[in-house]
Amino acid sequence: MELNLVMAIVNRDRRETLEGICQNLKLPMTVTMLCQGTATVEHLSIYGLVPTEKALLCTVADGEQTQRLMRAAKLRMFVDIPGNGIMLSVPIKSVGGGRTMAYLTDNMTPGGGKPKMEFSHELIYVILNEGHSDEVMHAARSAGATGGTVMMGKGTGSKEAGKFLGISLASEKDVVLIVSEAGKKAAIMKAIVEQAGPQTDAAAICFSLPVSQVAGLRQVEMEEEETPAEE
């Protein structure tokens, strides 16, 4: 059975609408976290936007539910239009135990088939010292990233690993999420490591996850479609 972690980043005043959509689809578990956008003043001005507080909503859905959720978010929230949020799905590889599977799938019998493993986008997950998200985003933008989302957290890693790597894991942390085109992912991660990596005050570490579907990046697609062919 295909299962996805569906993530949506929207303005906080719109989170209840999205939570309502998830409830109408009878999705068993929805978690909402508060976060902050990182778009630059220049980027915001292009689309006539203003910086706002964000909410990150995460839910688990099978393949059909994922399609229905994406469709409902586009129709009711216009999430596929720049400035209305971004939505993505990450394939779930395994689930811990039969009861968990039954809970997440409403006791449906797991069927055959595998999710498509062709990914046009990836989610770059960056963990860094609190207060250094600007350095990380500056590095990411220098390699082609258009924006990101910041969440606050606290590390609980082992002291031995921290000493070995020179990174203080058990301290206040920021988490930066960046959705990137697959072709730009390596360059963005390299820039983050070189400009804001463990050797810097930001002490950022990063990894990426495959994104099977994405909505809200239409401006990139439109720019590609409207680029005239060279004669």
Side-chain angles (χ1 to χ4, degrees):
M1 172 179 285
E2 177 185 350
L3 280 181
N4 300 301
L5 173 65
V6 183
M7 306 171 67
I9 301 169
V10 297
N11 292 346
R12 291 187 191 180
D13 59 0
R14 308 187 76 200
R15 65 181 182 179
E16 292 185 359
T17 301
L18 190 54
E19 290 169 348
I21 293 174
C22 292
Q23 291 175 358
N24 290 337
L25 293 176
K26 297 182 179 180
L27 298 176
M29 183 185 68
T30 301
V31 178
T32 302
M33 295 164 279
L34 303 182
C35 49
Q36 175 69 52
T38 64
T40 63
V41 174
E42 292 80 5
H43 185 71
L44 291 170
S45 64
I46 292 175
Y47 301 107
L49 307 176
V50 294
T52 56
E53 300 294 312
K54 301 291 183 180
L56 169 66
L57 184 145
C58 299
T59 189
V60 175
D62 63 26
E64 181 181 351
Q65 289 171 326
T66 299
Q67 296 294 343
R68 292 172 63 192
L69 178 55
M70 289 274 192
R71 190 181 307 116
K74 291 177 181 179
L75 291 175
R76 293 184 55 187
M77 302 179 65
F78 307 103
V79 76
D80 57 337
I81 297 176
N84 290 323
I86 183 172
M87 204 166 192
L88 59 128
S89 64
V90 178
I92 293 176
K93 184 177 181 181
S94 58
V95 173
R99 289 188 177 182
T100 302
M101 176 63 81
Y103 171 71
L104 294 176
T105 61
D106 196 22
N107 290 309
M108 291 178 59
T109 302
K114 297 181 179 179
K116 295 180 180 179
M117 291 298 165
E118 299 176 0
F119 307 112
S120 60
H121 292 82
E122 297 198 31
L123 175 65
I124 302 174
Y125 196 104
V126 190
I127 303 172
L128 59 142
N129 287 337
E130 182 184 25
H132 291 275
S133 59
D134 286 346
E135 291 98 304
V136 168
M137 286 309 306
H138 178 76
R141 287 193 179 95
S142 72
T146 57
T149 302
V150 181
M151 299 184 295
M152 292 182 292
K154 183 176 178 61
T156 58
S158 68
K159 294 181 179 179
E160 290 75 13
K163 291 179 180 178
F164 176 73
L165 296 172
I167 302 171
S168 176
L169 298 178
S171 61
E172 300 300 321
K173 296 291 181 183
D174 284 344
V175 174
V176 175
L177 304 179
I178 301 170
V179 180
S180 164
E181 295 176 58
K184 295 181 179 180
K185 179 261 301 182
I188 292 173
M189 293 180 68
K190 180 180 179 181
I192 291 173
V193 171
E194 291 179 348
Q195 300 178 40
Q199 76 284 359
T200 70
D201 291 339
I205 58 176
C206 59
F207 54 88
S208 69
L209 300 171
V211 174
S212 56
Q213 296 184 64
V214 64
L217 297 181
R218 180 181 290 181
Q219 68 271 26
V220 177
E221 300 168 356
M222 289 176 63
E223 287 170 1
E224 293 175 349
E225 294 173 358
E226 294 174 358
T227 301
E230 295 183 1
E231 299 182 355

